[in-house]
């Protein structure tokens, strides 16, 4: 997972939750391609991804505007259509597009106490 | 992770991403208590949580309104203050409050093809 910076609201989050049918090398390759594709798109801010040993996953990508989300979705859908559809990898998935209104973060400091931060 | 139902936008998502300092039994107990606390609150719709072996986690809770989010935060903060603060468990965490505007889902069917659903 990336270092999870903050981005100054308002911005958009795409919450992608899923259960993998099978964790294959092809899945990892396709994930990496999608990540690289996203990185080159206008308005891409960052992404966080966690998957457990049981195949449950949550990937949250962050975008500056709703149009940036739409554009990326169009491009990614086209790319997936050219190759194997991403449906092949999953038992189920959900996509939620949400406008981030507030954010805060906490970081442990060397004294072990920690502090709230905004970046 | 729960079965990830859909909830009909607009509603609110609280995106909690974190890195555990150490995965302890006390952490699991506190997580369960927080989950039970949330379930009893007005406007609570559901929660999804994934954590990998490296301690990276993402928990997304869903709420009907922004006020429901605020009320739960107030109650949870008070509860944590009475006990050990949740800061003790983490190296870092981020909280993002976001308004879900759109949602869709895909489910594999018995024929392996799958379909888009709205619940």
């Amino acid at each position: 997972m990336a270092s999870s910076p903050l981005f100054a609201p308002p911005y958009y989050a795409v919450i992608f939750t899923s259960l993998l049918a099978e964790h294959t090398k092809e899945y990892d390759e396709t994930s990496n391609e999608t990540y690289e594709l996203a990185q080159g798109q206008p308005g891409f801010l960052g992404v966080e991804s966690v998957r457990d040993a049981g195949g449950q996953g949550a990937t949250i990508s962050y975008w500056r505007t709703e149009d940036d989300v739409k554009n990326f979705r169009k491009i990614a859908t086209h790319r997936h259509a050219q190759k194997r559809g991403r449906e092949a990898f999953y038992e189920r998935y959900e996509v939620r597009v949400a406008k981030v209104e507030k954010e805060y973060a906490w970081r442990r400091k060397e004294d072990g106490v920690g502090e709230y931060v905004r970046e």
Side-chain angles (χ1 to χ4, degrees), chain A:
Chain A
M1 188 156 76
S3 60
S4 199
L6 300 175
F7 305 113
Y11 58 91
Y12 275 76
V14 179
I15 305 165
F16 181 82
T17 48
S18 64
L19 175 62
L20 275 184
E22 199 185 353
H23 197 146
T24 61
K25 195 180 157 192
E26 190 186 0
Y27 167 77
D28 285 333
E29 286 168 1
T30 305
S31 282
N32 289 340
E33 281 174 25
T34 305
Y35 176 64
E36 282 165 22
L37 190 64
Q39 278 194 308
Q41 294 309 306
F44 176 74
L45 298 174
V47 65
E48 298 182 276
S49 196
V50 185
R51 189 168 300 280
D52 68 21
Q56 303 269 14
T59 297
I60 307 131
S61 61
Y62 303 106
W63 303 83
R64 184 48 64 196
T65 70
E66 190 180 4
D67 279 346
D68 296 328
V69 172
K70 283 182 190 163
N71 288 335
F72 177 65
R73 189 177 166 188
K74 209 177 296 173
I75 288 162
T77 303
H78 180 66
R79 183 72 64 98
H80 285 126
Q82 290 177 313
K83 301 187 63 170
R84 198 176 175 200
R86 69 176 178 186
E87 282 74 10
F89 301 118
Y90 297 105
E91 277 301 314
R92 61 163 186 76
Y93 65 76
E94 299 81 34
V95 181
R96 292 176 166 94
V97 180
K99 185 180 189 176
V100 178
E101 298 175 347
K102 287 175 196 166
E103 62 178 12
Y104 60 97
W106 182 88
R107 304 281 183 255
R108 185 171 300 281
K109 292 193 298 183
E110 282 182 16
D111 61 7
V113 175
E115 62 181 353
Y116 286 98
V117 293
R118 290 178 181 281
E119 283 163 13

